[in-house]
Amino acid sequence: MRPIRDEKWQPVTIPLVAILISFIAAAIVILIIGKNPIQAFYNLLQGAGILPKPSYAGYKSMLTDFLSLLNAMTPLVFASLAVAVAFKAGLFNIGVSGQMLVSGFLATILVGYSGLDAIIAKPLVLVIGMTAGGLMGGLVGWLKYKFNINEVVSTIMLNYIAQYVISFFIQMYYIDPVSRQSQYISEAARLTLVNVEMANLKMDLPLGFILAIFTAVFLKFFMDKTVVGFEIKAVGSSRNAAKYAGMNVGRNTVLAMVISGGLAGLAGVTYYLGYFASIQPKVLSSIGFDSIAVSLLGNSHPIGVIFSSFLVSIIEQGSTYMSSQAGIRQEISSVIVGLILLFSACGAYLKHKVSSLKDKELDQKESES
């Protein structure tokens, strides 16, 4: 308990304790259904490319599985950073999925079907993603500032609007008659290099992964070392105090949502034009909602988000192999993620209990002396 009692280390230790408790709870669930939790977790790591499998199909290895994990993790990092920035400003961006969809769709029809060379298409996809997501997030921030419309309500409504309007256009103009999804984009516009042959292996190389790590590092610097970042956090801590200190609350609210939406846009293009190469009509990506749990687990810290995204991606990517080898339904992985979210949400309670125990001990020592 000593690391948890140290306030300096609580942003790290409390999420670790939450993860530990959630895996213990998941182990109990697995025991209840009559399976071996140690074997299940071992298979989970094998499926995610962290541990080797007994055998592999042709052109596959532990490395190819691990690269697939990073490919799936990339949009989750961007989406979780989007939620984290909004949290820092005291906002709840629950519209990440809608912002992802709009950005992915616009990049698809403007670049994915254009026939542009890769050297132009790939950067253009990123620019369109950031711009579309930023504009959509900025709209939410403006509605919050101008009309005091709760961002949760506006983002949920925009999610539905994006979902069904884009579904209409896909089914009317861009549908693939075989897959019943949007037509596949050109390889030149795709942000994942698929089936790259190297060392007798066929690998998927996520080009956006390095950008995601760089973005997280830059975001930490931006929030901690710049005036704008400080003002965004100040507005999130107390709007009245920030206004009294002379900060422009409205501008910082809109700016925070523009940044959040831009990051969601990057999540959208790395998902729909990276991890996948098409868009399924009438479906919002679950990444936009998983990112809330990931951001909470990472304490809304950009570097913490990287590690929490890695953990959640392991659970989700390894679930299929765990199901086939340990005979455990894939839904157990969702149970584990849900438990992580549940115990992460108890972080404030843990801080309160630790603080109360320290106060009691201090009072006891004073009474004894």
Side-chain angles (χ1 to χ4, degrees), residues 55-61 64 195 200-203:
S55 62
Y56 291 91
Y59 300 102
K60 298 296 179 182
S61 71
T64 59
N195 290 330
N200 202 33
L201 297 173
K202 289 185 177 180
M203 299 175 283

Side-chain angles (χ1 to χ4, degrees), residues 212-229:
I213 302 302
F214 173 80
T215 302
V217 173
F218 174 78
L219 201 58
K220 183 183 186 308
F221 170 82
F222 175 78
M223 285 296 181
D224 293 346
K225 303 296 182 181
T226 66
V227 174
V228 176

